[in-house]
PDB file of all heavy atoms in Angstrom:
ATOM      1  N   CYS A  73    -276.884  -4.680 -61.494  1.00  0.00           N
ATOM      2  CA  CYS A  73    -277.659  -3.626 -62.155  1.00  0.00           C
ATOM      3  C   CYS A  73    -278.355  -4.160 -63.405  1.00  0.00           C
ATOM      4  O   CYS A  73    -279.496  -3.785 -63.693  1.00  0.00           O
ATOM      5  CB  CYS A  73    -276.754  -2.445 -62.510  1.00  0.00           C
ATOM      6  SG  CYS A  73    -276.172  -1.507 -61.082  1.00  0.00           S
ATOM      7  N   LYS A  74    -277.686  -5.024 -64.127  1.00  0.00           N
ATOM      8  CA  LYS A  74    -278.285  -5.618 -65.329  1.00  0.00           C
ATOM      9  C   LYS A  74    -279.504  -6.448 -64.956  1.00  0.00           C
ATOM     10  O   LYS A  74    -280.549  -6.369 -65.609  1.00  0.00           O
ATOM     11  CB  LYS A  74    -277.250  -6.485 -66.054  1.00  0.00           C
ATOM     12  CG  LYS A  74    -277.760  -7.077 -67.340  1.00  0.00           C
ATOM     13  CD  LYS A  74    -276.670  -7.838 -68.062  1.00  0.00           C
ATOM     14  CE  LYS A  74    -277.200  -8.370 -69.390  1.00  0.00           C
ATOM     15  NZ  LYS A  74    -276.156  -9.059 -70.151  1.00  0.00           N
ATOM     16  N   LYS A  75    -279.367  -7.219 -63.881  1.00  0.00           N
ATOM     17  CA  LYS A  75    -280.481  -8.041 -63.409  1.00  0.00           C
ATOM     18  C   LYS A  75    -281.673  -7.172 -62.993  1.00  0.00           C
ATOM     19  O   LYS A  75    -282.824  -7.571 -63.137  1.00  0.00           O
ATOM     20  CB  LYS A  75    -280.007  -8.893 -62.230  1.00  0.00           C
ATOM     21  CG  LYS A  75    -280.917 -10.013 -61.862  1.00  0.00           C
ATOM     22  CD  LYS A  75    -280.261 -10.901 -60.819  1.00  0.00           C
ATOM     23  CE  LYS A  75    -281.120 -12.098 -60.511  1.00  0.00           C
ATOM     24  NZ  LYS A  75    -280.497 -12.991 -59.533  1.00  0.00           N
ATOM     25  N   ALA A  76    -281.379  -5.947 -62.511  1.00  0.00           N
ATOM     26  CA  ALA A  76    -282.427  -5.018 -62.092  1.00  0.00           C
ATOM     27  C   ALA A  76    -282.945  -4.164 -63.252  1.00  0.00           C
ATOM     28  O   ALA A  76    -283.689  -3.216 -63.039  1.00  0.00           O
ATOM     29  CB  ALA A  76    -281.896  -4.119 -60.976  1.00  0.00           C
ATOM     30  N   LYS A  77    -282.520  -4.493 -64.472  1.00  0.00           N
ATOM     31  CA  LYS A  77    -282.999  -3.835 -65.693  1.00  0.00           C
ATOM     32  C   LYS A  77    -282.485  -2.402 -65.865  1.00  0.00           C
ATOM     33  O   LYS A  77    -283.190  -1.537 -66.389  1.00  0.00           O
ATOM     34  CB  LYS A  77    -284.528  -3.848 -65.770  1.00  0.00           C
ATOM     35  CG  LYS A  77    -285.161  -5.218 -65.594  1.00  0.00           C
ATOM     36  CD  LYS A  77    -284.955  -6.058 -66.813  1.00  0.00           C
ATOM     37  CE  LYS A  77    -285.805  -7.321 -66.704  1.00  0.00           C
ATOM     38  NZ  LYS A  77    -285.151  -8.512 -67.048  1.00  0.00           N
ATOM     39  N   ALA A  78    -281.242  -2.146 -65.444  1.00  0.00           N
ATOM     40  CA  ALA A  78    -280.639  -0.839 -65.699  1.00  0.00           C
ATOM     41  C   ALA A  78    -280.503  -0.644 -67.202  1.00  0.00           C
ATOM     42  O   ALA A  78    -280.404  -1.607 -67.965  1.00  0.00           O
ATOM     43  CB  ALA A  78    -279.269  -0.749 -65.035  1.00  0.00           C
ATOM     44  N   GLN A  79    -280.485   0.611 -67.605  1.00  0.00           N
ATOM     45  CA  GLN A  79    -280.351   0.946 -69.018  1.00  0.00           C
ATOM     46  C   GLN A  79    -278.953   1.512 -69.274  1.00  0.00           C
ATOM     47  O   GLN A  79    -278.297   1.997 -68.372  1.00  0.00           O
ATOM     48  CB  GLN A  79    -281.400   1.982 -69.413  1.00  0.00           C
ATOM     49  CG  GLN A  79    -282.814   1.526 -69.122  1.00  0.00           C
ATOM     50  CD  GLN A  79    -283.781   2.678 -69.076  1.00  0.00           C
ATOM     51  OE1 GLN A  79    -283.406   3.839 -69.057  1.00  0.00           O
ATOM     52  NE2 GLN A  79    -285.060   2.351 -69.050  1.00  0.00           N
ATOM     53  N   GLN A  80    -278.528   1.478 -70.512  1.00  0.00           N
ATOM     54  CA  GLN A  80    -277.254   2.075 -70.928  1.00  0.00           C
ATOM     55  C   GLN A  80    -276.102   1.630 -70.021  1.00  0.00           C
ATOM     56  O   GLN A  80    -275.275   2.429 -69.604  1.00  0.00           O
ATOM     57  CB  GLN A  80    -277.359   3.598 -70.961  1.00  0.00           C
ATOM     58  CG  GLN A  80    -278.439   4.093 -71.884  1.00  0.00           C
ATOM     59  CD  GLN A  80    -278.670   5.579 -71.777  1.00  0.00           C
ATOM     60  OE1 GLN A  80    -277.932   6.298 -71.132  1.00  0.00           O
ATOM     61  NE2 GLN A  80    -279.724   6.053 -72.411  1.00  0.00           N
ATOM     62  N   LEU A  81    -276.056   0.374 -69.728  1.00  0.00           N
ATOM     63  CA  LEU A  81    -275.078  -0.211 -68.817  1.00  0.00           C
ATOM     64  C   LEU A  81    -273.797  -0.503 -69.588  1.00  0.00           C
ATOM     65  O   LEU A  81    -273.785  -1.352 -70.469  1.00  0.00           O
ATOM     66  CB  LEU A  81    -275.685  -1.494 -68.258  1.00  0.00           C
ATOM     67  CG  LEU A  81    -275.120  -2.138 -67.027  1.00  0.00           C
ATOM     68  CD1 LEU A  81    -275.105  -1.185 -65.852  1.00  0.00           C
ATOM     69  CD2 LEU A  81    -275.939  -3.360 -66.672  1.00  0.00           C
ATOM     70  N   GLU A  82    -272.725   0.233 -69.274  1.00  0.00           N
ATOM     71  CA  GLU A  82    -271.500   0.062 -70.048  1.00  0.00           C
ATOM     72  C   GLU A  82    -270.253   0.298 -69.201  1.00  0.00           C
ATOM     73  O   GLU A  82    -270.125   1.312 -68.517  1.00  0.00           O
ATOM     74  CB  GLU A  82    -271.496   1.047 -71.215  1.00  0.00           C
ATOM     75  CG  GLU A  82    -270.359   0.834 -72.174  1.00  0.00           C
ATOM     76  CD  GLU A  82    -270.491   1.696 -73.416  1.00  0.00           C
ATOM     77  OE1 GLU A  82    -271.600   2.035 -73.814  1.00  0.00           O
ATOM     78  OE2 GLU A  82    -269.436   2.023 -73.971  1.00  0.00           O
ATOM     79  N   LEU A  83    -269.333  -0.676 -69.255  1.00  0.00           N
ATOM     80  CA  LEU A  83    -268.037  -0.506 -68.612  1.00  0.00           C
ATOM     81  C   LEU A  83    -267.210   0.461 -69.446  1.00  0.00           C
ATOM     82  O   LEU A  83    -267.160   0.339 -70.673  1.00  0.00           O
ATOM     83  CB  LEU A  83    -267.299  -1.837 -68.504  1.00  0.00           C
ATOM     84  CG  LEU A  83    -267.763  -2.773 -67.401  1.00  0.00           C
ATOM     85  CD1 LEU A  83    -267.084  -4.132 -67.555  1.00  0.00           C
ATOM     86  CD2 LEU A  83    -267.470  -2.198 -66.036  1.00  0.00           C
ATOM     87  N   ALA A  84    -266.570   1.407 -68.786  1.00  0.00           N
ATOM     88  CA  ALA A  84    -265.722   2.371 -69.490  1.00  0.00           C
ATOM     89  C   ALA A  84    -264.468   1.674 -69.994  1.00  0.00           C
ATOM     90  O   ALA A  84    -263.962   0.746 -69.369  1.00  0.00           O
ATOM     91  CB  ALA A  84    -265.355   3.521 -68.558  1.00  0.00           C
ATOM     92  N   LYS A  85    -263.979   2.140 -71.114  1.00  0.00           N
ATOM     93  CA  LYS A  85    -262.752   1.580 -71.674  1.00  0.00           C
ATOM     94  C   LYS A  85    -261.530   1.998 -70.852  1.00  0.00           C
ATOM     95  O   LYS A  85    -260.520   1.319 -70.839  1.00  0.00           O
ATOM     96  CB  LYS A  85    -262.606   2.009 -73.123  1.00  0.00           C
ATOM     97  CG  LYS A  85    -263.646   1.350 -74.033  1.00  0.00           C
ATOM     98  CD  LYS A  85    -263.546   1.841 -75.452  1.00  0.00           C
ATOM     99  CE  LYS A  85    -264.541   1.241 -76.394  1.00  0.00           C
ATOM    100  NZ  LYS A  85    -265.832   0.900 -75.938  1.00  0.00           N
ATOM    101  N   VAL A  86    -261.634   3.125 -70.169  1.00  0.00           N
ATOM    102  CA  VAL A  86    -260.553   3.615 -69.314  1.00  0.00           C
ATOM    103  C   VAL A  86    -260.618   2.880 -67.987  1.00  0.00           C
ATOM    104  O   VAL A  86    -261.652   2.843 -67.336  1.00  0.00           O
ATOM    105  CB  VAL A  86    -260.679   5.136 -69.079  1.00  0.00           C
ATOM    106  CG1 VAL A  86    -259.599   5.633 -68.156  1.00  0.00           C
ATOM    107  CG2 VAL A  86    -260.647   5.874 -70.409  1.00  0.00           C
ATOM    108  N   ALA A  87    -259.518   2.279 -67.570  1.00  0.00           N
ATOM    109  CA  ALA A  87    -259.492   1.462 -66.347  1.00  0.00           C
ATOM    110  C   ALA A  87    -258.995   2.263 -65.155  1.00  0.00           C
ATOM    111  O   ALA A  87    -258.083   1.864 -64.447  1.00  0.00           O
ATOM    112  CB  ALA A  87    -258.631   0.229 -66.565  1.00  0.00           C
ATOM    113  N   ILE A  88    -259.597   3.416 -64.942  1.00  0.00           N
ATOM    114  CA  ILE A  88    -259.259   4.254 -63.790  1.00  0.00           C
ATOM    115  C   ILE A  88    -260.539   4.550 -63.029  1.00  0.00           C
ATOM    116  O   ILE A  88    -261.533   4.971 -63.617  1.00  0.00           O
ATOM    117  CB  ILE A  88    -258.570   5.562 -64.227  1.00  0.00           C
ATOM    118  CG1 ILE A  88    -257.188   5.252 -64.817  1.00  0.00           C
ATOM    119  CG2 ILE A  88    -258.472   6.549 -63.081  1.00  0.00           C
ATOM    120  CD1 ILE A  88    -256.429   6.442 -65.311  1.00  0.00           C
ATOM    121  N   ALA A  89    -260.502   4.332 -61.733  1.00  0.00           N
ATOM    122  CA  ALA A  89    -261.670   4.561 -60.885  1.00  0.00           C
ATOM    123  C   ALA A  89    -261.596   5.956 -60.274  1.00  0.00           C
ATOM    124  O   ALA A  89    -261.373   6.135 -59.087  1.00  0.00           O
ATOM    125  CB  ALA A  89    -261.754   3.492 -59.807  1.00  0.00           C
ATOM    126  N   GLY A  90    -261.771   6.959 -61.121  1.00  0.00           N
ATOM    127  CA  GLY A  90    -261.726   8.344 -60.648  1.00  0.00           C
ATOM    128  C   GLY A  90    -262.801   8.628 -59.620  1.00  0.00           C
ATOM    129  O   GLY A  90    -263.837   7.978 -59.582  1.00  0.00           O
ATOM    130  N   HIS A  91    -262.520   9.582 -58.774  1.00  0.00           N
ATOM    131  CA  HIS A  91    -263.462  10.030 -57.738  1.00  0.00           C
ATOM    132  C   HIS A  91    -263.815   8.923 -56.745  1.00  0.00           C
ATOM    133  O   HIS A  91    -264.936   8.859 -56.242  1.00  0.00           O
ATOM    134  CB  HIS A  91    -264.720  10.623 -58.371  1.00  0.00           C
ATOM    135  CG  HIS A  91    -264.432  11.700 -59.365  1.00  0.00           C
ATOM    136  ND1 HIS A  91    -264.036  12.961 -58.988  1.00  0.00           N
ATOM    137  CD2 HIS A  91    -264.426  11.692 -60.716  1.00  0.00           C
ATOM    138  CE1 HIS A  91    -263.823  13.692 -60.071  1.00  0.00           C
ATOM    139  NE2 HIS A  91    -264.042  12.940 -61.132  1.00  0.00           N
ATOM    140  N   THR A  92    -262.851   8.039 -56.499  1.00  0.00           N
ATOM    141  CA  THR A  92    -263.020   6.998 -55.479  1.00  0.00           C
ATOM    142  C   THR A  92    -261.795   7.014 -54.572  1.00  0.00           C
ATOM    143  O   THR A  92    -260.778   7.629 -54.910  1.00  0.00           O
ATOM    144  CB  THR A  92    -263.140   5.589 -56.100  1.00  0.00           C
ATOM    145  OG1 THR A  92    -261.870   5.183 -56.618  1.00  0.00           O
ATOM    146  CG2 THR A  92    -264.205   5.534 -57.191  1.00  0.00           C
ATOM    147  N   PRO A  93    -261.837   6.327 -53.442  1.00  0.00           N
ATOM    148  CA  PRO A  93    -260.672   6.266 -52.549  1.00  0.00           C
ATOM    149  C   PRO A  93    -259.429   5.672 -53.217  1.00  0.00           C
ATOM    150  O   PRO A  93    -258.317   5.883 -52.750  1.00  0.00           O
ATOM    151  CB  PRO A  93    -261.143   5.370 -51.404  1.00  0.00           C
ATOM    152  CG  PRO A  93    -262.623   5.466 -51.417  1.00  0.00           C
ATOM    153  CD  PRO A  93    -263.011   5.670 -52.855  1.00  0.00           C
ATOM    154  N   LEU A  94    -259.612   4.966 -54.327  1.00  0.00           N
ATOM    155  CA  LEU A  94    -258.465   4.389 -55.035  1.00  0.00           C
ATOM    156  C   LEU A  94    -257.559   5.462 -55.629  1.00  0.00           C
ATOM    157  O   LEU A  94    -256.413   5.197 -55.968  1.00  0.00           O
ATOM    158  CB  LEU A  94    -258.956   3.445 -56.134  1.00  0.00           C
ATOM    159  CG  LEU A  94    -259.729   2.223 -55.640  1.00  0.00           C
ATOM    160  CD1 LEU A  94    -260.336   1.479 -56.809  1.00  0.00           C
ATOM    161  CD2 LEU A  94    -258.837   1.315 -54.821  1.00  0.00           C
ATOM    162  N   MET A  95    -258.052   6.684 -55.715  1.00  0.00           N
ATOM    163  CA  MET A  95    -257.262   7.787 -56.268  1.00  0.00           C
ATOM    164  C   MET A  95    -256.651   8.677 -55.180  1.00  0.00           C
ATOM    165  O   MET A  95    -256.079   9.723 -55.471  1.00  0.00           O
ATOM    166  CB  MET A  95    -258.132   8.654 -57.191  1.00  0.00           C
ATOM    167  CG  MET A  95    -258.464   7.983 -58.503  1.00  0.00           C
ATOM    168  SD  MET A  95    -257.000   7.774 -59.536  1.00  0.00           S
ATOM    169  CE  MET A  95    -257.023   6.010 -59.789  1.00  0.00           C
ATOM    170  N   ALA A  96    -256.711   8.254 -53.932  1.00  0.00           N
ATOM    171  CA  ALA A  96    -256.166   9.062 -52.833  1.00  0.00           C
ATOM    172  C   ALA A  96    -254.672   9.332 -53.011  1.00  0.00           C
ATOM    173  O   ALA A  96    -254.202  10.448 -52.772  1.00  0.00           O
ATOM    174  CB  ALA A  96    -256.431   8.389 -51.488  1.00  0.00           C
ATOM    175  N   ALA A  97    -253.930   8.331 -53.447  1.00  0.00           N
ATOM    176  CA  ALA A  97    -252.488   8.525 -53.657  1.00  0.00           C
ATOM    177  C   ALA A  97    -252.241   9.543 -54.761  1.00  0.00           C
ATOM    178  O   ALA A  97    -251.310  10.348 -54.684  1.00  0.00           O
ATOM    179  CB  ALA A  97    -251.818   7.194 -53.985  1.00  0.00           C
ATOM    180  N   ALA A  98    -253.077   9.528 -55.786  1.00  0.00           N
ATOM    181  CA  ALA A  98    -252.938  10.488 -56.881  1.00  0.00           C
ATOM    182  C   ALA A  98    -253.201  11.904 -56.383  1.00  0.00           C
ATOM    183  O   ALA A  98    -252.493  12.845 -56.756  1.00  0.00           O
ATOM    184  CB  ALA A  98    -253.893  10.142 -58.016  1.00  0.00           C
ATOM    185  N   ALA A  99    -254.202  12.059 -55.537  1.00  0.00           N
ATOM    186  CA  ALA A  99    -254.513  13.382 -54.998  1.00  0.00           C
ATOM    187  C   ALA A  99    -253.347  13.926 -54.179  1.00  0.00           C
ATOM    188  O   ALA A  99    -252.978  15.096 -54.304  1.00  0.00           O
ATOM    189  CB  ALA A  99    -255.788  13.319 -54.153  1.00  0.00           C
TER     190      ALA A  99
END
Side-chain angles (χ1 to χ4, degrees):
C73 290
K74 183 176 183 177
K75 194 172 184 179
K77 308 286 190 225
Q79 303 161 349
Q80 302 172 9
L81 197 57
E82 187 172 332
L83 283 171
K85 291 177 180 34
V86 178
I88 293 179
H91 307 285
T92 71
L94 296 172
M95 288 293 123

